[in-house]
Each structure stands twice: as C-alpha cells, then as structure tokens.
Amino acid sequence: QVQLVESGGGLVQPGGSLRLSCAASGSIGSITAMNWYRQAPGKQRELVAHISSGGWTNYVDSVKGRFTISRDNAKTTVYLQMNSLKSEDTAVYYCNVVDTFDDYWGKGTLVTVSS
C-alpha cells in the first residue's frame, strides 16, 4: 500500500509564499513522475507542475516564474515552492505520484490566498 502525505498548506496574504511537501511511502515502485494538481471551487482539477524521473519540469502557464517543483535526493518527497501568490491560486492542492504499476493521490492540502 502506498501513502502520500501532504503538508504545508494554509492561509497566506497575496504576494506571500508557501512551500508544499508530499512524502511517498509504502510499496511504491520505480517512480516515473511526480505532479502537483489543484482544484479551485467550481473548477476542474488542473495539473500545476510536473517533474519527471529525469528531473525535467513543466508548469501550467499561470504559475510559470512563481512556482518551483523539486524533489529530495531519494526521489520520494516532492515539493512545490509557491511565491508571489495570488488570490486565484486559492485551491486544494493534490500530490500525484506515478510509478511503474499505478498512480497515487494524496488527500489534498488547502491553500487560501486572501488579505
């Protein structure tokens, strides 16, 4: 059984920063990709940031230059550094990890950007 534990969400003012973490544990295979998605109220879930097994990263246009995805050396923890946050970044953020067998989801962490 694979578990993904997310942390780091919360309330932040516009222009502020947060760092999300997601630690994978359990019977996880060779990880091929680690992703952060988000879902805002009334909207569909969208892919925010991606990091491949080789370290290649990609971002949705709305966060380019503000968010950075990274992982630890063991490649079992993925981070999302979020800077210059805007009200439109308010959403539940979900960690997604893909291995050779399946893909796995965290329960989500709420990020609220408000003054």
Side-chain angles (χ1 to χ4, degrees), residues 5-16:
V5 179
E6 300 145 327
S7 61
L11 173 64
V12 63
Q13 291 186 342

Side-chain angles (χ1 to χ4, degrees), residues 1-9 19-29 31 33-36 51 69-80 93-98 104-109:
Q1 187 175 1
V2 174
Q3 287 187 326
L4 301 182
V5 179
E6 300 145 327
S7 61
R19 189 191 196 207
L20 306 182
S21 300
C22 172
S25 62
S27 302
I28 196 161
I31 295 175
M34 304 178 89
N35 307 299
W36 285 99
I51 185 165
I69 189 170
S70 63
R71 63 189 177 198
D72 67 345
N73 289 337
K75 300 180 182 179
T76 57
T77 300
V78 62
Y79 306 97
L80 186 67
Y93 284 71
Y94 298 90
C95 173
N96 167 249
V97 173
V98 183
Y104 311 95
W105 291 87
K107 294 182 178 181
T109 184

Side-chain angles (χ1 to χ4, degrees), residues 5 18 21 28 33 37 49-50 63 67 78 93 101-102 104:
V5 179
L18 282 175
S21 300
I28 196 161
Y37 285 76
H50 161 90
V63 308
F67 290 11
V78 62
Y93 284 71
F101 305 110
D102 208 337
Y104 311 95

Side-chain angles (χ1 to χ4, degrees), residues 17 19 22-23 34 38 44 47 63 111 114:
S17 298
R19 189 191 196 207
C22 172
M34 304 178 89
R38 69 184 178 187
Q44 289 188 332
L47 177 62
V63 308
V111 172
S114 176

Side-chain angles (χ1 to χ4, degrees), residues 34-60:
M34 304 178 89
N35 307 299
W36 285 99
Y37 285 76
R38 69 184 178 187
Q39 188 166 18
K43 295 188 177 181
Q44 289 188 332
R45 189 173 296 189
E46 68 171 348
L47 177 62
V48 175
H50 161 90
I51 185 165
S52 72
S53 58
W56 180 79
T57 60
N58 195 29
Y59 302 88
V60 67

